[in-house]
Amino acid sequence: QVQLVESGGGLVQAGGSLRLSCAASGRTFSSYAMSWFRQAPGKEREFVAAITWPSGNTYYADFVKGRFTISRGNAKNTVYLQMNSLKPEDTAIYYCASRKYYTDRPLELNLYDYWGQGTQVTVSS
C-alpha cells in the first residue's frame, strides 16, 4: 500500500513563505512524476506544479510561476514545494499526488495514481 503524507501547511501573512513536504511510503512505491494540486473552497482541484524522474523536468501553473518552486529530495520518494510571495488567493488545501508510469500530460489530475490527505494553507491579507 502506497501512502503520501503532506506537511508544512499553516497560516501566513500575504507576502510570506511556506515550504510543503510530501513523503511517500510503501514497499512497492515507484514514481514517474510527483505533483502538487490545490483546492480552494467552492472550486475544483487544480494543478500547481510537477516534477518527473529521472529527468527532473518541472512544470508550473501560470499563476505560480516565479513564486513557487518544486524540488525532490535525495530519496526518490520525497518532494517539496517552496512557496514565496504568497497571496490570499493561494489559500487552499494542497495535495500531493504521484503517478507511477510515464505520461506526456503530467498536469492532468485524472492521471495520478495516489493522493495524500492534503495540508491546509491559509494566507491572510
Side-chain angles (χ1 to χ4, degrees):
Q1 184 73 12
V2 173
Q3 285 190 321
L4 302 180
V5 179
E6 304 98 334
S7 62
L11 173 64
V12 64
Q13 289 188 332
S17 298
L18 284 173
R19 188 191 194 209
L20 305 183
S21 300
C22 174
S25 62
R27 187 167 57 90
T28 61
F29 178 78
S30 65
S31 177
Y32 167 74
M34 290 186 75
S35 299
W36 291 95
F37 291 79
R38 71 185 188 185
Q39 188 166 17
K43 295 188 177 181
E44 293 186 349
R45 194 170 298 189
E46 61 182 356
F47 171 79
V48 176
I51 188 165
T52 63
W53 276 266
S55 63
N57 289 340
T58 57
Y59 305 83
Y60 295 95
D62 287 344
F63 54 79
V64 302
K65 284 181 180 177
R67 300 190 298 127
F68 292 9
T69 302
I70 190 169
S71 62
R72 55 191 186 189
N74 291 331
K76 190 177 180 179
N77 61 345
T78 305
V79 67
Y80 305 100
L81 185 68
Q82 178 66 44
M83 305 186 296
N84 298 328
S85 302
L86 282 161
K87 306 175 182 180
E89 51 263 43
D90 294 318
T91 295
I93 299 175
Y94 283 70
Y95 296 91
C96 176
S98 172
R99 175 171 169 85
K100 188 172 183 178
Y101 299 113
Y102 170 81
T103 176
D104 60 357
R105 295 174 289 163
L107 281 64
E108 291 198 18
L109 179 153
N110 293 333
L111 298 182
Y112 282 82
D113 304 301
Y114 302 107
W115 291 84
Q117 291 299 306
T119 185
Q120 177 70 48
V121 171
T122 303
V123 184
S124 63
S125 58

